Amino acid sequence: MRKIVLSMFAATAALSFSLSAQAQEKTLTVYTYESFVSDWGPGPKVKQAFEKSCTCRLNFVGVADGVALLTRLKLEGEKTNADIALGLDTNLISEAKATGLFEPHGLDTSAISVPGNYTDDTFIPYDYGHFAVVYDTQVMKNPPKSLKELVEGDLSQKIAIEDPRTSTPGLGLLLWVRSVYGDKAPEAWAKLRKRVLTVTPGWSEAYGLLTKGEVPMVFSYTTSPAYHMVEEKTDRYQAASFSEGHYIQIEVAGMLTNASDKDLAKQFLRFMVSPAFQDIIPTTNWMMPVSKTSEPLPDAFDKLVQPETTFLMGSDEVAKNRQAWIDEWLTAMSMN
């Protein structure tokens, strides 16, 4: 009898251990961009915080930038290992939905607040920021005060920009120029090309050129100077305020239709808009949170450029014209 009891106990313990091990082995794979998963980005802290609550392993897969993320998902199709795609923006939503790879989240997003009150049944915002030209005040005493001044300004003062084919900031600049110049955008690019030192695949490479002193201006965000003020205690790098207004980026995440564990994927999306995630964003991704945080923003955020006018194209318009506008950009950038 004792042997039977011990045997039953051992079997129960083994089953319990097996179930526990299976729970521990649950993995959520999130495709995102490289700066998100860098040591200084939000990825490590997000991973630590989520794994405490999910009894799972959070696996980040980083690619160069947001547009490259969508390109990778298109190439992998239904065979993708991604459960969540985090790092697309509203400019890419229609194109992403057209792949058939995403499904509606079915979650309550009423706590989210972004400029323009953007909402979507498939993609959930997790941060936002206005694009801007960030410059080195020790090198530039008179930065451009408008997009027109950037396009037509001093050719000796160069700027690093991102490629719209691979980068969401690069796409953002493309759409900003189109928003201001309309059908005359190709002519504007032909002028701006003479000020472009280099075009990088993603944001990280471009911004590194600024901080290394290789270029006096870079295309980035109005929030970027907060990093230097908070972490480096310096006002050296500032965003130029443009009189026409600034184009906004609202970054989003969505669940893949073939997600291996949709309950776990939805758990992450709910976590993403909770204070536990939102507290991490301002001082790691250096963007604005989309919902309530448990901690106040650092004082540096009060010193940032506050655009009076915000540009944002509808994602359907972007999807319809993106390739044609990129082709115009390529033609203008390759002119002698």
Side-chain angles (χ1 to χ4, degrees), residues 254-275:
M255 178 177 65
L256 278 293
T257 299
N258 290 339
S260 59
D261 188 330
K262 291 182 182 178
D263 288 338
L264 184 59
K266 289 182 179 181
Q267 183 181 346
F268 178 83
L269 292 175
R270 284 191 292 266
F271 166 78
M272 188 180 72
V273 296
S274 72

Side-chain angles (χ1 to χ4, degrees), residues 166-238:
T166 55
S167 163
T168 52
L171 179 59
L173 179 56
L174 185 81
L175 299 178
W176 192 357
V177 171
R178 172 60 59 167
S179 296
V180 173
Y181 283 91
D183 291 340
K184 294 184 178 179
E187 291 92 326
W189 279 113
K191 292 179 181 179
L192 182 58
R193 177 190 62 81
K194 299 173 184 178
R195 297 193 77 175
V196 175
L197 177 68
T198 189
V199 178
T200 63
W203 174 87
S204 298
E205 301 95 327
Y207 205 81
L209 296 174
L210 175 74
T211 56
K212 292 174 184 176
E214 296 181 25
V215 69
M217 295 184 290
V218 66
F219 190 70
S220 190
Y221 299 87
T222 58
T223 49
S224 297
Y227 164 78
H228 303 284
M229 288 187 272
V230 173
E231 296 294 331
E232 299 176 346
K233 313 302 180 187
T234 179
D235 295 333
R236 176 175 176 175
Y237 302 103
Q238 294 295 319

Side-chain angles (χ1 to χ4, degrees), residues 110-181:
S110 59
I112 295 173
S113 177
V114 295
N117 298 316
Y118 168 84
T119 60
D120 188 74
D121 65 351
T122 303
F123 291 95
I124 299 179
Y126 63 90
D127 69 16
Y128 71 91
H130 287 83
F131 290 118
V133 170
V134 175
Y135 67 99
D136 185 343
T137 62
Q138 293 185 7
V139 179
M140 295 188 73
K141 302 304 179 184
N142 296 297
K145 298 178 178 62
S146 66
L147 194 60
K148 186 176 186 295
E149 286 189 16
L150 176 67
V151 168
E152 301 178 2
D154 185 351
L155 298 182
S156 68
Q157 295 180 323
K158 301 297 184 182
I159 184 172
I161 65 172
E162 300 84 359
D163 193 324
R165 295 169 296 178
T166 55
S167 163
T168 52
L171 179 59
L173 179 56
L174 185 81
L175 299 178
W176 192 357
V177 171
R178 172 60 59 167
S179 296
V180 173
Y181 283 91

Side-chain angles (χ1 to χ4, degrees), residues 44-66:
K45 291 184 177 180
V46 168
K47 176 180 171 67
Q48 183 181 30
F50 185 63
E51 286 182 345
K52 285 182 179 179
S53 63
C54 72
T55 317
C56 70
R57 185 168 68 90
L58 180 57
N59 176 40
F60 281 119
V61 176
V63 297
D65 216 316

Side-chain angles (χ1 to χ4, degrees), residues 28-79:
L28 184 73
T29 298
V30 177
Y31 281 17
T32 186
Y33 45 84
E34 287 179 349
S35 62
F36 193 95
V37 297
S38 65
D39 290 341
W40 45 265
K45 291 184 177 180
V46 168
K47 176 180 171 67
Q48 183 181 30
F50 185 63
E51 286 182 345
K52 285 182 179 179
S53 63
C54 72
T55 317
C56 70
R57 185 168 68 90
L58 180 57
N59 176 40
F60 281 119
V61 176
V63 297
D65 216 316
V67 180
L69 169 57
L70 180 56
T71 300
R72 175 164 176 170
L73 288 171
K74 285 180 177 181
L75 290 172
E76 293 180 349
E78 294 182 356
K79 295 181 179 180

